[in-house]
């Protein structure tokens, strides 16, 4: 999935073309940069959920009324987060598989999720 995000951010229409143009070291550097400073709609969703949590905390009667950030994420974003975490888990178990392949597999999982 990261290859798609990077292609979108760089204005390259096809992630396969992007991957063909850069070596694995550069791709890993972009991925490390993304992990340090995320961008895109998923990062915006998390930031908005954090802001909502703050607004709820200010107005909540007691701290037990406060939802977790994950509960404030849009449904599709929660599903993406779970799929990405699963892909990372699988990639860490299979050291021979590059991270971008795990992300690509998680994208195929996301495509099968019900549309809202």
């Amino acid at each position: 999935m990261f290859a798609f995000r990077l292609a979108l951010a760089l204005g390259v229409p096809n992630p396969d073309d992007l991957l063909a143009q850069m070596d694995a070291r550069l791709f890993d550097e972009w991925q490390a940069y993304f992990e340090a400073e995320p961008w895109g709609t998923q990062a915006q969703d998390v930031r908005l959920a954090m802001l909502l949590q703050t607004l709820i905390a200010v107005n909540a009667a007691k701290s037990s009324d406060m939802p977790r950030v994950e509960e404030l994420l849009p449904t599709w974003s929660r599903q993406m987060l779970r799929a990405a975490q699963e892909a990372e888990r699988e990639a860490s178990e299979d050291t021979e598989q590059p991270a971008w392949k795990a992300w690509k597999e998680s994208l195929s999982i996301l495509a099968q999720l019900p549309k809202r």
Side-chain angles (χ1 to χ4, degrees):
M1 172 154 338
F2 178 72
F4 286 88
R5 281 196 188 115
L6 183 57
L8 181 65
L10 297 177
V12 178
N14 186 335
D16 292 331
D17 293 343
L18 176 71
L19 293 173
Q21 294 173 11
M22 69 172 58
D23 62 15
R25 182 192 56 78
L26 182 58
F27 184 81
D28 289 342
E29 288 175 359
W30 271 108
Q31 198 164 16
Y33 174 68
F34 177 79
E35 289 173 15
E37 296 183 28
W39 69 81
T41 57
Q42 190 174 7
Q44 292 168 350
D45 287 345
V46 171
R47 288 181 188 110
L48 181 58
M50 291 168 70
L51 176 61
L52 288 172
Q53 185 186 46
T54 302
L55 291 172
I56 291 169
V58 168
N59 295 297
K62 52 187 174 185
S63 62
S64 63
D65 294 338
M66 193 154 106
R68 296 186 337 261
V69 171
E70 295 83 15
E71 295 172 320
L72 298 169
L73 290 171
T75 303
W76 69 269
S77 193
R78 277 183 270 164
Q79 292 168 338
M80 287 181 65
L81 183 61
R82 277 190 229 109
Q85 289 169 340
E86 180 62 28
E88 275 186 24
R89 209 173 302 112
E90 289 174 5
S92 66
E93 292 170 3
D94 182 10
T95 57
E96 305 229 351
Q97 183 182 29
W100 67 267
K101 282 189 178 179
W103 284 104
K104 194 172 181 181
E105 288 174 10
S106 69
L107 183 62
S108 67
I109 293 168
L110 290 173
Q112 297 169 12
L113 292 174
K115 305 286 188 260
R116 290 193 108 196

